[in-house]
Amino acid sequence: MVAQLDYPTMKEIFRRFAEANPHPEGELEHVNAFTLLVAVALSAQATDVGVNKATRSLWPVADTPQKMLALGEEGLIEHIKSIGLYRTKAKNVIALSRLLVERFGGQVPSSRAALVSLPGVGRKTANVVLNMGWGHPAQAVDTHIFRVGNRSGICPGKDVDVVERAIEDNVPVEYQRHAHHWLILHGRYICTARKPRCADCLIRDLCRFEEKTA
């Protein structure tokens, strides 16, 4: 495992990310906190592109927990059957919609503990909702961040919890609000799994990855 980068290097890396993309955004389409929560839950083991394609017809008819319950599990399946594990996901979305109505007044809660109490919602999903829905600097570590963090030294760790803590502990606070978006986008489009595009990388000179491509 590569060593954690030092503070001056981290500050320069995120300065460059911020300069190149001052307002990074997640790529899952949503219209409010509820649709964001559902979209992230649907995205497990699926692509954002695939989820967006399915939800474009879903949000106009089910953008609140109450409307989702009215649509029902079979109605939901008709919208999301192109997504992997759609039956399990449909069951979870209906169950979490019911709990939102029964326990939280039909509103998406703003604490991690409350969010992860919902069916199909894990820590990563909760962190995405806290970050994008509430502006909290929560770090949602996915496979892209795990790869980038361990290759570069930005946030190395043996598992996602350690990587999450490394981001929280080492990214300068003024960059933490958007840190996980910059890292996800960097991993998705530049520091790709099979053949990273090192020649196009804006932090190439600061990265600890030894097997850089031309």
Side-chain angles (χ1 to χ4, degrees), residues 24 36 109-113 115 123-140 164 167-168 173-181:
L36 172 62
S110 57
S111 81
R112 186 181 289 113
L115 285 166
R123 186 178 180 89
K124 186 182 82 170
T125 295
N127 282 350
V128 173
V129 174
L130 291 173
N131 185 290
M132 295 177 62
W134 300 100
H136 179 68
Q139 309 301 331
E164 181 182 332
I167 298 172
E168 293 174 347
V173 69
E174 62 268 32
Y175 299 115
Q176 292 215 7
R177 172 69 174 80
H178 296 307
H180 93 275
H181 280 133

Side-chain angles (χ1 to χ4, degrees), residues 5 14 16 35 64-65 70 80 82 103 119 123 125 128 138 143 145 147 151 153 164 189 193:
L5 294 168
F14 284 91
R16 293 183 191 180
T35 56
T64 68
I80 68 169
S82 60
R103 294 185 186 175
R123 186 178 180 89
T125 295
V128 173
T143 56
I145 293 181
R147 178 176 66 255
R151 275 181 178 172
E164 181 182 332
Y189 298 110

Side-chain angles (χ1 to χ4, degrees), residues 6-194:
D6 60 23
Y7 177 78
T9 305
M10 292 286 287
K11 186 149 185 150
E12 175 60 17
I13 283 173
F14 284 91
R15 185 197 68 77
R16 293 183 191 180
F17 283 150
E19 182 178 65
N21 186 2
H23 304 290
E25 296 182 353
E27 296 184 324
L28 284 172
E29 296 172 5
H30 60 282
V31 297
N32 54 32
F34 173 70
T35 56
L36 172 62
L37 173 62
V38 173
V40 180
L42 294 176
S43 71
Q45 300 182 51
T47 66
D48 288 0
V49 171
V51 172
N52 289 340
K53 185 177 180 180
T55 58
R56 282 174 194 143
S57 66
L58 177 62
W59 300 151
V61 296
D63 61 352
T64 68
Q66 294 88 344
K67 290 179 183 178
M68 189 67 75
L69 290 174
L71 180 64
E73 189 173 324
E74 291 304 315
L76 174 56
I77 284 174
E78 286 303 306
H79 289 275
I80 68 169
K81 59 187 178 183
S82 60
I83 302 173
L85 305 175
Y86 66 90
R87 290 194 179 278
T88 298
K89 291 176 180 178
K91 190 180 297 294
N92 284 337
V93 168
I94 294 300
L96 74 81
S97 297
R98 185 171 292 110
L99 285 180
L100 286 175
V101 171
E102 293 175 353
R103 294 185 186 175
F104 302 104
Q107 301 298 312
V108 176
S110 57
S111 81
R112 186 181 289 113
L115 285 166
V116 299
S117 73
L118 299 170
V121 178
R123 186 178 180 89
K124 186 182 82 170
T125 295
N127 282 350
V128 173
V129 174
L130 291 173
N131 185 290
M132 295 177 62
W134 300 100
H136 179 68
Q139 309 301 331
V141 178
D142 68 354
T143 56
H144 296 301
I145 293 181
F146 189 81
R147 178 176 66 255
V148 171
N150 277 288
R151 275 181 178 172
S152 65
I154 291 174
C155 47
K158 61 181 174 31
D159 57 46
V160 294
D161 291 337
V162 176
V163 170
E164 181 182 332
R165 177 58 62 83
I167 298 172
E168 293 174 347
D169 288 350
N170 294 285
V171 174
V173 69
E174 62 268 32
Y175 299 115
Q176 292 215 7
R177 172 69 174 80
H178 296 307
H180 93 275
H181 280 133
W182 284 317
L183 293 172
I184 288 172
L185 294 171
H186 192 66
R188 183 171 290 166
Y189 298 110
I190 301 296
C191 194
T192 52
R194 294 187 179 181

